[in-house]
Amino acid sequence: MAFTDGLLARFRSGSMLIKIIYVNVAVFVLLRLAVIAAALLGIDSQAVLQAVEVPSQAAVLLRRPWTLISYMVSHYGVLHLLFNMLWLYWLGQMFLDYFTPKQLTGLYVLGGIGGALLYVAAGSLLPVMRQQQGMLIGASAAVLAVVAAVAVAAPNRAVRLFLIGDVPLKWVAAATLLLDLLSMEVGNAGGHIAHIGGAAVGLAYGLAMRGGHDITAWLNAAIDAVCTLLKPRKSTRKGVGSPVGGRSYRKAKPASAAPQPQEEGPTEAEIDAVLDKIKRSGYSALTDAERDTLFRASSKRN
């Protein structure tokens, strides 16, 4: 279908931020359709949701470890999806002003996992959550990791809020976390605890990046390794041309072909200069060239 082909083309050509949003929307549609199908077949719809939600009990989570990933791209409520994706798109664009698309993916996943693990820990330790098994669903913890990381990278960057005007990003992030803390007594304490876990991961990421250390590097390396394994393998035969008259000929290698020199990383002096500037003025004071130096140094070390 032309519509489906168009969506797939936009997904392939879109940025990593757009891809994450597309995945969330696609899972939402599939989940709603699965629940409808279950209802028509007389199957308990909760069984469908439990397949993607993180349980609050550690023993149950051990039987459903995949939910640590599935829950952070799953939504059942329309408004839940809408607000999370608007928040992610808005702050995700700011994140990409300071960091790379790969780091956005790594932090989204790491923040989601951090929020889920804190949720499960609270389910085991807090009496109010031990009384009944809860379930966690939605991208809020992953999104708040991105929000917190941007707030650390550019704390004084102004964001315009409706009816309020320009507000420094650090106060927007602080107000969001304060609302989570104050809302625990109202209900959904587990969800708010997961939000705080995701924000804590984002805070740790931002502070680590100020010191030139990327805490998502190991996760991105693991994701790259999995993607490499899933890619179809190409033929190992090299340089074989099309058969002519029952014979095949190897393509001649151009005489001008020569190994390209590998790009060298920044020198220790350049790295030290950038780190000194971060200590003096913060990460947001770096120029584009200095950020590039920091990222190349991080990539070389990892």
Side-chain angles (χ1 to χ4, degrees):
M1 294 176 62
F3 177 73
T4 305
D5 292 341
L7 287 178
L8 289 174
R10 292 188 185 95
F11 175 81
R12 294 191 187 99
S13 62
S15 66
M16 188 56 66
L17 174 61
I18 297 300
K19 285 183 171 68
I20 294 174
I21 293 174
Y22 265 51
V23 169
N24 275 270
V25 173
V27 172
F28 166 76
V29 173
L30 292 174
L31 195 58
R32 293 299 291 254
L33 291 175
V35 169
I36 293 172
L40 294 175
L41 295 173
I43 302 173
D44 183 10
S45 61
Q46 290 302 315
V48 177
L49 295 176
Q50 288 174 359
V52 298
E53 295 173 324
V54 171
S56 60
Q57 297 177 353
V60 181
L61 177 61
L62 290 176
R63 298 196 299 269
R64 306 174 192 167
W66 66 87
T67 58
L68 286 174
I69 302 298
S70 63
Y71 97 96
M72 72 179 73
V73 292
S74 302
H75 299 79
Y76 189 71
V78 176
L79 291 180
H80 192 196
L81 172 71
L82 178 63
F83 285 122
N84 271 342
M85 294 304 99
L86 287 175
W87 197 228
L88 176 61
Y89 182 73
W90 182 33
L91 273 298
Q93 287 184 313
M94 294 185 189
F95 182 94
L96 294 176
D97 288 339
Y98 306 97
F99 308 107
T100 67
K102 180 176 286 189
Q103 289 168 325
L104 173 65
T105 305
L107 181 60
Y108 182 93
V109 174
L110 199 60
I113 293 174
L117 292 179
L118 186 61
Y119 170 77
V120 175
S124 302
L125 300 174
L126 298 181
V128 67
M129 292 184 62
R130 284 205 308 262
Q131 294 173 1
Q132 58 183 354
Q133 179 177 329
M135 307 298 289
L136 181 66
I137 189 172
S140 300
V143 172
L144 281 172
V146 176
V147 174
V150 179
V152 174
N156 296 315
R157 179 168 176 169
V159 293
R160 180 157 296 181
L161 301 181
F162 181 63
L163 297 179
I164 297 178
D166 291 343
V167 179
L169 184 54
K170 61 185 178 184
W171 298 123
V172 175
T176 301
L177 292 177
L178 180 61
L179 286 175
D180 273 313
L181 288 171
L182 296 178
S183 301
M184 284 186 186
E185 187 179 359
V186 177
N188 190 26
H192 295 298
I193 289 173
H195 298 175
I196 294 172
V201 172
L203 178 63
Y205 171 84
L207 293 175
M209 284 301 296
R210 283 190 172 186
H213 179 60
D214 180 7
I215 65 174
T216 67
W218 67 271
L219 180 58
N220 282 320
I223 294 174
D224 288 343
V226 172
C227 291
T228 301
L229 289 175
L230 294 178
K231 283 183 179 179
R233 297 193 177 188
K234 297 181 180 179
S235 173
T236 56
R237 298 176 65 190
K238 298 180 181 179
V240 179
S242 301
V244 179
R247 300 172 62 187
S248 61
Y249 299 86
R250 294 187 179 275
K251 294 181 180 179
K253 187 175 181 180
S256 59
Q260 298 296 322
Q262 294 184 350
E263 182 181 358
E264 296 183 359
T267 64
E268 290 297 329
E270 291 174 326
I271 297 172
D272 291 341
V274 173
L275 295 179
D276 288 340
K277 186 171 182 180
I278 292 175
K279 292 178 181 177
R280 293 194 310 270
S281 308
Y283 183 86
S284 58
L286 297 182
T287 64
D288 291 341
E290 289 168 335
R291 291 195 189 102
D292 181 65
T293 297
L294 189 60
F295 290 139
R296 287 191 293 121
S298 176
S299 300
K300 182 179 178 182
R301 291 176 181 177
N302 294 322

